[in-house]
Every structure is written in C-alpha cells, then in structure tokens.
Amino acid sequence: MKRKFKIVLLLTLVISPTTFINDESVKALTIQEKVSAGKEHSLALKKNGAVWAWGENSDGQLGINNTTDQNIPVQVVGENGIGFLENIIDISAGTDHSIALKDDGTVWIWGANDDGQLGNGTTVDKITPIKVPNLTNVVEISAGWSYTHIVKSDGSVWAWGRGTSGELGIGATIQSLIPIQVVGVGGTGFLGNIVDISTGEQHVLALKNDGTVYSWGMGASGRLGTDATVNSNTPLKVVNETNTGDLLNIQKISAGYNHSMALAQDGSLYVWGNNDIGQLGIGSYNTKNKPYKMISLTNVKEISAGIGFSMAVKVDGTLWSWGGNTEGELGIGNYTDKNNPNQVLNEDGTSFISNVTSISAANLHSLATTTNGSVFSWGDASSGKLGNGINTGLFNKPVKINDFNINDGAIDAGLTIDSGQFKMTDITNTMAFEDYTLGKEEVSLTLKSPFSFSVEDFTGTWSGWKANLKVAGFKNNTQDLIESTLTSNCTNALVYDTDELGVKTGINGPISNEFTCSAGNIPFDTTFPLITAAASVNTAGKHIFEFPKEFLSLSFSNKSKFGNYTGEVMLTLTTGP
C-alpha cells in the first residue's frame, strides 16, 4: 500500500521592478510573518495571512468589532465584522489606527480617524477593517501618528491624514481625508522609484531603488538627516556623513519618534536625529543633524526605531537595543537608559534571546518573533499591549506570549493523505524560504530555518521514502520564465525513532540526496527527484523528520530583471513499496 503526503509551498514572490546599487540587485517583497507595535496596541501577522491584535482599543484600533481593550491576542475580523481578515501580506500599527495589505494589492484599515488617517473621506472611527477606496497595486504600507503612507507598484508614494508639519509630503501643511500623491523634490513632479516607506511621529523616510533616501516633515533635532533642523513639506535628499553628497547603498529604513535609522547593504547602520536619551546608540547624547555611522554594531539585518529607543537584529539572530529604558523597553533586565547597544536577554534573564526574525519598537514596549514562531514582548504592560494576559506592571526582559504562534496554520492547508492513516504533530517552523535576492540575472531561495515534523499513529512498514521537487509557473507581467533554468544545493535530512517519552532512540534515515547538486541545470515546470531514504521506517509509533536549514537552496536565472513574479514551489514526500 502506498501512503503519500505532500507539503505545498504556494509562494507569491514579488520583485519590485527596481534596482539597487548600480543594478547589482533588486529588492524583493516577500510574504513574511511579523509583528508591529503601535503606541498602545500591537499587531501580529501569521503565516496563514491572518492578523491578530491586542492592547488598547478605545478607538477600535484592534479591529475586533468593539472598543474593549484586550490583554491577549484576538483575531482581527473581516469587513463589517463578518468572518476574519485574510490573505494579508503586511501590517503596520500607527498611534491609534492599523493598516493591512492584502495579496491583491488593496489596503485595509481601521481604528481612529480624527485626522482622516483611514483615507476613506471621513473622520469617523472604524472598529472593523474597511478597504481604502480607489487604491490598488499597493506594495508597501506604513501607519504613522495620525497619518498613513503607502507605495504603489509603480514606485509612487501616496499619503493621507494629518499634515501639520508637512509629513504628507504634498507641498502643503494640510490635512487630507483621501490618498494624495507625494510630490517630488522641491515640489516638482512626483516622487518616484520608491521601494520602501517608514513613518515616524511627524516625519517620513522613503527609500529609492538606487539605495538613496528621501525625508520630509518635521525637521527638529535633525531627524530629516539633511544637516538642517527646519520642516519640509516636500521630499529632501538625506545627505551622507560629511554632507558632501547623498547617503548611499541603503537597504532598509526606520523612522522613530524624533530620530531615524538606515541600514546599509554591508550591514552597517546609520543614525541621526534626537539623542537626548541615547536613542542613536553612539556612546554619547549628542544630537546629529546628518547620518552618523555606528561603529559599535555591525552585521545588522533588521532595524526598528521607536519613541526614544532603537532595536537591531544581527545576522546571527541576536537582538540589540539602546536608548530610553524607564519602562524596561530595552529588555536588558534593568530600567537604565543606554547610549550604546546592549544585547537583549532571553525570558530566563540569564541568557540572550536568539534566532530573532522580526522586531518592532514602539512607545514604551517592544515586540520580537523567533524562527519557531514564538512572539515575545516586554516593557510597559498597561492596556494589555504586551499580550501576556496582564494589564499593569513593567517587564524588563522578554516574556513569551503563551499559546500564540505566528507559524500556526502554515502547514495544514498543504497536507493531503492518499491512503493509510497518520497524523502530523510537533510541527516546528515551516518550510519557508528566506528573503531572496535578484542579482544581475539570478534569483536565490534558501530555507529560512530548520523544519521538522512528526508522524505517528500508523501501522505497517514505511519504506522507499522519496521526494520530488517542482518549481513551476514563474512568470511576470511581460514574459514567462519557462526558459529559465534551476540549480540546487542540498544536504541530508534525518528520520528518527522516539521512545514513549519522545526521546530520540535511533536514526532510520538519513534521507539523502538522490539528486546531485552539481548536476547542472533543471528546466522549469519539470518535477525532478531530490532525495531517497537510506533506510526504512519500519516500526509503528512516532518518528521525527528533521530538515536542516541547509537542506535545500534553489536558484534560477531569468530573462528579465523587472516585473512582478509569481510561481509555485511544491515538495512532495512519498512512501510505499
């Protein structure tokens, strides 16, 4: 009898039609689980496209069809309170409103609307998500303090809500109840070729496809990075350290309350703006009107600027923080401000948090996720914004939110059983791919983290384990990629037996490579064998399948560097005689 199950990875891979750093690479938008912290509330996006919220809800910013605060995660409902919001690929929490981006390019928004920050032409709050009218093809979103910005697939930027300090970037300091396009430098034309946006309290950062940065809004404390402190209602170029040219080679940006951060392609970090409580992390309290390169922190991959403090994740998965710490928001086990980076503790208070994937620095609290889908929070617990079931108190080290995992639901939809009976348990992580890059003519995908699962409650002998991989249907709006070729690098996976207590008792595998990684190119839309089992799983009970991070790495060449690509990666595991 043949028993088969398959894990189907339907990855909507989006590559903005823009290039970085002398056309060497292209920034990619990928569907990623994440967290986003507002002033007094928090959001989380699960891998299954569902959004969860907790914390203050006086303006409906949780999107749960009421205005009651919540101290544990609650799922955001759908339009008019029917069902749940779904197919979301990005989220952003503002001061007291929230925004979500659907995979169809539409924007959904809810919460406070006193300044028109919901963009629906009114100033009426909404306690359930509404679709922003007449807005399509959106690829980036950011919710600020009573205002909102988005980026469209054509690289244009649109804004609405409060504009008293020029934060809308429309050439005036007015409020707008509907989306209006951000103008170009000096008010000429419109800003274009933007690939990322970040909104602070009253200032905005925008990243262009060539790695340069624009800013506008309030200029106090030098937060615009222009070597000046005046407001601007039109975009300005952020200068370099010596004000002799533009800041270059930037890959990520983050606007805080009154300071700014920019991550360079080489993993170095630039900071500027207010530094009264050490939020720049440069070992002093001196304000900087133009970017200043941090020398104490390198190899950075993620950044987040909050209200008076900052956080950064290094490529090794460690988390670092600095700045104001009166509520424990730095997560370092005390309440002392720090003007240099300190490593964030684990929840036990004796080791350090590791394998961090996403972060969000807010008002007086912080959020982080790890590769296994766990969500951690720390800082001020008022209004329930830590999501740990508590409404008061301070937590100066991370606390895991119990019974909540952003990887939930990522595997079940792809599981099918042809015959036989078994169940999958103990799923850790998902077989998700790391952010990929498109350099010159190549896209690379690698597993984001180790992936494992258990099978149990079956009878008989399972033998002949095999796996097939199919990479299919990758195309953009101008041409198919069928003529492209695929190469792979891979390593072994293992199958373990366990005893009644779940302790590993022996290796039945390994599942080894049948496909030779250096065998050359594989055509698209072709299923090819990848692995076979070295031994059979021949006893009933529970067995653990472990796929290391290095298990699979894919790359393919392409004929066009521009466009929005979509495709499917399907991994099928089969056992039978």
Side-chain angles (χ1 to χ4, degrees):
M1 179 181 291
K2 190 173 184 179
R3 303 174 179 88
K4 184 171 86 170
F5 66 94
K6 65 180 179 179
I7 299 168
V8 181
L9 303 173
L10 297 175
L11 303 180
T12 301
L13 306 179
V14 182
I15 301 176
S16 299
T18 50
T19 57
F20 282 92
I21 319 306
N22 298 321
D23 293 342
E24 291 296 321
S25 61
V26 172
K27 181 177 179 180
L29 297 177
T30 55
I31 303 173
Q32 290 289 335
E33 77 283 6
K34 65 179 293 187
V35 285
S36 182
K39 184 180 179 183
E40 296 289 334
H41 75 293
S42 304
L43 300 177
L45 173 61
K46 288 192 174 186
K47 273 188 176 294
N48 60 5
V51 182
W52 294 67
W54 59 93
E56 184 177 302
N57 195 31
S58 58
D59 296 299
Q61 57 263 54
L62 300 189
I64 59 175
N65 205 17
N66 61 51
T67 56
T68 304
D69 295 353
Q70 303 291 325
N71 59 21
I72 59 173
V74 179
Q75 190 168 357
V76 175
V77 301
E79 188 175 14
N80 297 319
I82 301 173
F84 297 102
L85 194 62
E86 58 186 10
N87 301 321
I88 300 302
I89 62 173
D90 198 7
I91 54 173
S92 182
T95 308
D96 45 18
H97 76 294
S98 304
I99 184 172
L101 175 63
K102 270 196 175 184
D103 58 6
D104 62 1
T106 60
V107 173
W108 295 75
I109 200 164
W110 60 95
N113 198 26
D114 50 317
D115 284 299
Q117 57 263 51
L118 301 189
N120 67 339
T122 76
T123 56
V124 179
D125 297 350
K126 295 293 182 181
I127 61 176
T128 61
I130 61 169
K131 184 166 70 171
V132 178
N134 306 314
L135 197 61
T136 58
N137 301 316
V138 176
V139 294
E140 293 284 349
I141 57 175
S142 186
W145 284 53
S146 300
Y147 68 104
T148 308
H149 276 68
I150 62 92
V151 180
K152 286 191 172 186
S153 57
D154 62 4
S156 64
V157 182
W158 299 71
W160 60 91
R162 187 188 65 186
T164 54
S165 297
E167 55 264 54
L168 296 188
I170 58 175
T173 54
I174 60 173
Q175 177 191 73
S176 179
L177 305 184
I178 59 173
I180 187 168
Q181 191 168 358
V182 173
V183 300
V185 174
T188 302
F190 297 101
L191 193 62
N193 297 320
I194 299 302
V195 295
D196 197 10
I197 196 83
S198 181
T199 53
E201 190 255 347
Q202 292 185 72
H203 78 292
V204 181
L205 301 178
L207 178 63
K208 195 178 178 182
N209 59 3
D210 61 1
T212 59
V213 180
Y214 293 86
S215 62
W216 59 91
M218 180 173 285
S221 303
R223 71 193 77 180
L224 297 186
T226 60
D227 205 16
T229 58
V230 296
N231 295 357
S232 178
N233 56 29
T234 62
L236 303 169
K237 273 287 190 74
V238 175
V239 302
N240 59 21
E241 286 186 278
T242 58
N243 195 10
T244 56
D246 300 333
L247 184 64
L248 301 174
N249 300 335
I250 300 303
Q251 60 167 312
K252 292 183 179 181
I253 51 176
S254 184
Y257 181 80
N258 52 20
H259 74 292
S260 302
M261 305 171 69
L263 176 60
Q265 293 281 353
D266 63 2
S268 59
L269 187 56
Y270 291 87
V271 293
W272 62 94
N274 199 330
N275 194 32
D276 58 343
I277 47 178
Q279 56 264 54
L280 299 189
I282 57 177
S284 72
Y285 298 96
N286 298 324
T287 291
K288 299 294 181 180
N289 295 338
K290 56 182 182 292
Y292 185 91
K293 187 176 182 178
M294 292 181 64
I295 59 175
S296 57
L297 200 64
T298 57
N299 298 317
V300 175
K301 69 174 184 178
E302 296 290 342
I303 56 175
S304 184
I307 300 180
F309 73 106
S310 307
M311 297 198 297
V313 181
K314 297 183 73 170
V315 294
D316 62 5
T318 58
L319 177 58
W320 300 74
S321 62
W322 58 93
N325 194 33
T326 58
E327 315 299 308
E329 56 264 47
L330 297 188
I332 57 176
N334 58 51
Y335 301 97
T336 304
D337 296 349
K338 300 291 182 180
N339 62 14
N340 59 288
N342 284 250
Q343 193 167 353
V344 176
L345 294 171
N346 206 342
E347 57 183 333
D348 60 13
T350 60
S351 58
F352 299 105
I353 193 170
S354 59
N355 299 316
V356 176
T357 54
S358 71
I359 55 174
S360 186
N363 178 19
L364 298 171
H365 77 292
S366 304
L367 301 174
T369 64
T370 54
T371 53
N372 64 4
S374 296
V375 179
F376 294 85
S377 60
W378 59 97
D380 175 28
S382 63
S383 302
K385 58 181 173 284
L386 298 190
N388 61 353
I390 297 175
N391 295 326
T392 61
L394 304 178
F395 294 80
N396 60 21
K397 59 181 181 294
V399 177
K400 183 179 177 180
I401 299 178
N402 293 325
D403 302 318
F404 186 73
N405 190 292
I406 56 175
N407 288 344
D408 289 348
I411 294 298
D412 293 344
L415 175 63
T416 62
I417 302 174
D418 290 346
S419 61
Q421 293 187 359
F422 66 89
K423 64 180 180 181
M424 292 180 66
T425 60
D426 305 329
I427 298 170
T428 63
N429 303 320
T430 59
M431 193 170 278
F433 284 108
E434 189 72 81
D435 288 353
Y436 57 90
T437 58
L438 174 60
K440 289 197 171 178
E441 288 188 351
E442 184 177 29
V443 174
S444 297
L445 302 92
T446 57
L447 290 182
K448 180 178 179 180
S449 59
F451 167 75
S452 68
F453 59 89
S454 299
V455 292
E456 58 183 310
D457 295 348
F458 61 88
T459 59
T461 299
W462 287 31
S463 61
W465 280 95
K466 294 182 180 181
N468 293 316
L469 184 76
K470 182 178 181 180
V471 180
F474 277 83
K475 60 185 178 180
N476 65 14
N477 55 349
T478 58
Q479 72 175 103
D480 291 344
L481 299 180
I482 300 304
E483 296 180 359
S484 299
T485 54
L486 175 75
T487 58
S488 171
N489 291 300
C490 42
T491 188
N492 291 343
L494 297 176
V495 183
Y496 290 93
D497 277 340
T498 62
D499 60 19
E500 293 180 354
L501 298 177
V503 177
K504 296 174 184 176
T505 58
I507 298 177
N508 277 304
I511 297 178
S512 58
N513 294 313
E514 180 180 78
F515 169 67
T516 303
C517 297
S518 59
N521 297 329
I522 298 92
F524 268 73
D525 285 317
T526 298
T527 299
F528 61 91
L530 183 67
I531 53 178
T532 57
S536 300
V537 179
N538 53 20
T539 58
K542 184 176 181 180
H543 307 279
I544 299 174
F545 291 71
E546 289 190 348
F547 295 82
K549 181 175 180 180
E550 299 78 17
F551 172 67
L552 182 64
S553 174
L554 303 174
S555 62
F556 61 86
S557 60
N558 71 90
K559 305 301 182 183
S560 172
K561 295 183 65 176
F562 306 105
N564 296 324
Y565 304 135
T566 61
E568 174 183 299
V569 179
M570 180 184 295
L571 177 64
T572 305
L573 280 76
T574 305
T575 178

